[in-house]
Amino acid sequence: MKIDGTPYRAVWVDEGDRWSVRVIDQTKLPWSLDFLRLATLRQAAHAITSMQIRGAPLIGVVAAYGLALALRDDPSTDAMERAAAQLAGTRPTAINLRWALDRMLTRLRNTLAGQRVAAAYAEAAAIAEEDVEQNAAIGRHGLPLIQQAAEAKAGAEGTTPGQPVNILTHCNAGWLATVDWGTALAPIYMAHDAGVPVHVWVDETRPRNQGAALTAWELGRHGVPHTVISDNAGGHLMQHGRVDLAIVGADRVTRTGDAANKIGTYLKALAAHDNKVPFWVAVPSSTIDWTVSDGVRDIPIEERDATEVTTVTGRGTDGQLATVRVTPTSSPAANPAFDVTPARLLTGLITERGRCEATAESLQAMFRDRA
Ligand code: MRU
């Protein structure tokens, strides 16, 4: 997608040395656009744990490149298995991480040590390219939902022609969370680029503010109209008919269609259900965990540091970044980072193969070769 007219991706191999890995430092957005150079396994693992890069598909791709970086130092089987285990331990909820590492190991275990570095870069690049293609396909399959909503609005009594379709999204499932396009935002970018009037309600997504900081930034840089709202505003807007549909991403979807996504997604799905607002989850197949059937019981939920809840970081009127405490120093805080939305609350899933119901039967029918 574009930053002020220039196309970017969220990860790429350095054009100069052709081996180090470049990413956008997402902890610096929206205040500054800084690029990081990852040259070692440790740096790649740190980028994931510190959330310099985040978002389920991007975590998987950076982990794949992290393994390639590790193999540059030591291509032996022992070192490779240790590096993969280290990367797999960086974040627990997004299944894309394990999926990407499993795919890398399947390829590399059958490759001679002397050829492993080249094979690892090739496989990581293939995963990255497939991510872009899959997200573009998700965009194409989600686009009709927005077009239909626009047509319904244009034909509805009492509406002014050309009124935008209002879409609510939670967290950041845009191009910053993937290699390009994003998942939930892909249909929105496609609608905007096709001239369908859209407006996005961007949940701020406390405690780390991925909505306020990242989604708002990338939509703004691409020129998509949007409004940041507090996490508590969505239900109210839905009650007043100001949300036409919701589209979110996911970090793991069970084979039965339960979806784990950023904390707060479940509450939005409940409000959408109560107000008959269509609620879609956009995911590539690498986000589906075919081994798990009960999301609430079986998906591990990351617990992050309480300081993410007790503090906020922003830019002061003096232009300097500051982190301030917002809770009493004596109050403990808890920070579960994801929640699970049961399949029954979802209108459906948007995948690279098309849209389907969030049920075991529909998912199996769409992904017979995987399920
Ligand atoms: O903790 P994060 O920022 O990695 O969480 C990201 C999300 O919850 C996204 O919605 C999800 O990964 C889908 S990304 C296309």
Side-chain angles (χ1 to χ4, degrees):
M1 302 308 295
K2 289 185 183 144
I3 302 177
D4 301 330
T6 307
Y8 275 89
R9 284 186 171 186
V11 59
W12 65 97
V13 174
D14 187 273
E15 294 94 355
D17 64 30
R18 298 162 79 97
W19 65 267
S20 65
V21 179
R22 306 295 300 238
V23 293
I24 295 172
D25 183 350
Q26 301 192 21
T27 61
K28 298 287 166 49
L29 290 171
W31 307 289
S32 63
L33 178 61
D34 288 4
F35 302 102
L36 287 170
R37 179 172 177 269
L38 309 177
T40 62
L41 164 67
R42 232 175 89 190
Q43 288 170 348
H46 175 73
I48 300 172
T49 48
S50 66
M51 293 179 65
Q52 288 168 324
I53 69 96
R54 28 66 53 203
L58 185 60
I59 291 170
V61 174
V62 171
Y65 277 118
L67 195 55
L69 292 172
L71 291 170
R72 278 175 55 88
D73 287 337
D74 185 347
S76 69
T77 301
D78 273 3
M80 178 177 76
E81 300 288 346
R82 273 199 311 275
Q86 183 180 338
L87 288 161
T90 49
R91 292 196 72 189
T93 303
I95 193 67
N96 306 61
L97 174 63
R98 209 175 71 200
W99 171 87
L101 288 167
D102 283 350
R103 179 167 155 175
M104 293 290 287
L105 288 175
T106 303
R107 165 97 185 252
L108 296 168
R109 282 179 184 139
N110 295 320
T111 305
L112 295 173
Q115 293 162 13
R116 273 189 183 143
V117 173
Y121 275 98
E123 195 65 19
I127 293 172
E129 286 309 319
E130 283 169 33
D131 182 71
V132 179
E133 280 162 31
Q134 288 175 349
N135 295 332
I138 288 171
R140 287 192 295 275
H141 294 303
L143 174 61
L145 298 171
I146 302 175
Q147 287 169 324
Q148 283 155 19
E151 280 156 24
K153 270 191 119 152
E157 237 175 80
T159 48
T160 330
Q163 272 194 342
V165 178
N166 290 304
I167 305 160
L168 182 136
T169 194
H170 191 71
C171 194
N172 173 260
W175 70 266
L176 287 169
T178 63
V179 180
D180 205 354
W181 283 110
T183 55
L185 295 195
I188 298 174
Y189 283 126
M190 287 197 181
H192 173 78
D193 290 353
V196 180
V198 288
H199 166 261
V200 186
W201 295 113
V202 178
D203 284 346
E204 62 177 344
T205 321
R206 274 282 283 153
R208 287 192 68 100
N209 290 327
Q210 288 96 327
L214 306 176
T215 301
W217 181 82
E218 63 163 89
L219 288 172
R221 296 277 72 83
H222 196 78
V224 180
H226 63 279
T227 305
V228 179
I229 52 174
S230 75
D231 286 328
N232 300 322
H236 164 78
L237 293 171
M238 290 179 198
Q239 280 178 326
H240 288 267
R242 297 175 68 189
V243 182
D244 297 307
L245 72 154
I247 313 179
V248 300
D251 289 75
R252 194 185 298 217
V253 167
T254 64
R255 62 181 189 79
T256 55
D258 296 343
N261 191 46
K262 182 54 54 191
I263 192 79
T265 305
Y266 171 47
L267 288 175
K268 290 301 141 59
L270 282 171
H273 196 253
D274 195 42
N275 290 282
K276 301 188 175 41
V277 171
F279 198 96
W280 290 90
V281 175
V283 281
S285 50
S286 51
T287 301
I288 302 168
D289 185 346
W290 300 104
T291 68
V292 166
S293 55
D294 183 332
V296 175
R297 190 190 58 198
D298 295 333
I299 297 180
I301 299 296
E302 179 176 14
E303 286 278 342
R304 293 190 61 87
D305 200 285
T307 54
E308 293 181 353
V309 176
T310 58
T311 62
V312 285
T313 300
R315 183 182 258 171
T317 44
D318 58 358
Q320 298 300 309
L321 283 190
T323 298
V324 294
R325 181 148 186 139
V326 292
T327 60
T329 44
S330 56
S331 296
N335 190 8
F338 298 91
D339 59 27
V340 174
T341 301
R344 67 186 161 77
L345 296 176
L346 305 180
T347 307
L349 304 169
I350 312 170
T351 77
E352 73 269 22
R353 292 198 185 167
R355 300 192 300 270
C356 70
E357 286 174 1
T359 61
E361 298 70 31
S362 298
L363 274 166
Q364 266 166 37
M366 187 154 279
F367 292 100
R368 278 191 203 291
D369 50 327
R370 314 274 176 87

